[in-house]
Amino acid sequence: MSTTSPASARDRVLIFDTTLRDGEQCPGATMTLDEKLAVAELLDTMGVDIIEAGFPIASIGDFEAVSEIARRSKRAVIAGLARAIPADIARAGEAVRHAQRGRIHTFVSTSPIHLAYQMRKSEDEVVEIILRTVAQARDLVEDVEWSAMDATRTGIDYLCRCVEAAIKAGATTINLPDTVGYATPTEYRAMFEAVRERVPNSDKAIFSVHCHNDLGLAIANSLAGIEGGARQVECTVNGIGERAGNAALEEIVMAIRTRADALPYETGIESTMLTRASKLVSHATNFPVQFNKAIVGRNAFAHESGIHQDGMLKHAETYEIMTPASVGLTKTSLVMGKHSGRAAFRSKLGELGLHLSDNQFQDVFERFKALADRKKHVYDEDIEALVDENLATAHDRIRLVSLSVIAGTHGPQRATLKLAMDGRTLTEEADGNGPVDAVFNAIHALVPHEAVLELYQVHAVTEGTDAQAEVSVRLKDGERGVTARGADPDTLVASAKAYLSALNKLAASARRLHAQDPATA
Ligand code: KIV
Ligand code: ZN
């Protein structure tokens, strides 16, 4: 296992997390305000240098999230994204105003294909836009990042001209994204080397990598860009993001840490918080983490084959290049059960890095007691699912009161469902082609809606036949899509919770859209 050299010998690489902007932008990954606040708090505590909290002009919800995250930030710089449009920049400036350290991140396309078809502007016009908009941002905040969208498909001469204009107008960070995930590591590194060498004032700015994973090269490209002189990496937890996603934060951090012998850099990230961050983002976005995902996948530290197990028993380093503990994967020290009291439960939450308000604690503790009555051992994953459910359902309009289902070999299956909605209790009985269909038909009868079910998935939170089932449901209503989860030892109750949670999310996003529409404001 590699040892770390003295800090002075290493260049610091800044971690710019865009989970709440580029990550949240991908279909179905929408988060509520509470979920965004929880993610931002964890990123800040974990040592992320810059948190891109959203795109303030995009919606009132985004603006509120960026403003609130800015107000609550302790250490990290809080960035808001803006197109190269005066109104966008003004809105981003307003949103990050209350941060201890705020950043406006403005971008414009530079590649010939984007200029011709998307922007319909000449090269000269775009340079003018860069000068004007970066200067406007710089009048609002000290810290301005400028990005050349589709930089990797931009001719190097023109790219240098744009970077020179951005630095001249006051940009302090220059980001050269591989927007479409097209570059190879050699090309990406060469681009940074050329721009840094050719642009007169390049030493006045920090250069940044931002890589998409369309060809599975996002991490290799990010590391190559660092070798080419970049000292900021833009990434997301679990690699979520547009299409195939962005470079994964946990992979960059652990590559730099584990291969300190080959990569003379360091980050400020507390790596033992990576697992928790991965789980939190996965639950908030309802995007499962693939089992074989590097660093945070369920199998990342599992050794199945006989030869590997034999080696591991003799000496862990035979097949393990980093320890599970270094990414925060620890063996459970305290298994909870129905005799566990408040103090033990509070200490368990602390051990899991979960910090709840008094009201949240009370609610989660009651849910824990109810679960412990039905399940012998309550594992860490069960507790995390309870906390996630509390965060996800805190502002729900529609709640499950009770459900009973008749199922078995002779159909039709029948569900009797009771819901609480806006202070009223509603009851319905419905048949279905199977018990899940019966439950969803009953929900449909009580809450009529147009949304269609796009995904229904069940998995067990832990092992054992008394494990909680975790159900994911994805609903699509026109352009809007949401994914939500529900957990319960009863799969049908978990299914009802997940479906209702998705309906609540759709209703919340419709309310936000309504509030934004000037005609209805
Ligand atoms: O991929 C990209 O080019 C972006 C920019 C907005 C920075 O996300
Ligand atoms: Zn991007």
Side-chain angles (χ1 to χ4, degrees), residues 247-283:
L249 180 148
E250 60 279 3
E251 294 178 22
I252 283 285
V253 168
M254 290 314 286
I256 290 177
R257 195 186 133 129
T258 308
R259 293 309 312 276
D261 55 329
L263 302 165
Y265 316 108
E266 63 177 4
T267 72
I269 300 294
E270 175 51 61
S271 68
T272 55
M273 294 181 74
L274 291 173
T275 298
R276 178 65 203 134
S278 164
K279 287 186 180 170
L280 180 65
V281 169
S282 169
H283 281 98

Side-chain angles (χ1 to χ4, degrees), residues 18 21-22 25 52 81 105 107 145 147-151 175 177-180 210 212 234 242-243 246:
T18 183
R21 199 278 299 170
D22 223 350
Q25 216 163 293
E52 186 161 57
L81 186 71
H105 174 196
F107 70 97
E145 172 169 336
S147 287
M149 197 174 204
D150 207 16
N175 180 35
D178 186 24
T179 305
V180 291
H210 177 117
H212 282 268
E234 305 200 352
E242 290 274 10
R243 307 180 309 278
N246 291 55

Side-chain angles (χ1 to χ4, degrees), residues 17 118 299 304 363 397 453:
D17 180 277
Q118 201 178 8
N299 294 349
E304 187 76 29
D363 179 63
R397 257 186 75 207
L453 180 67

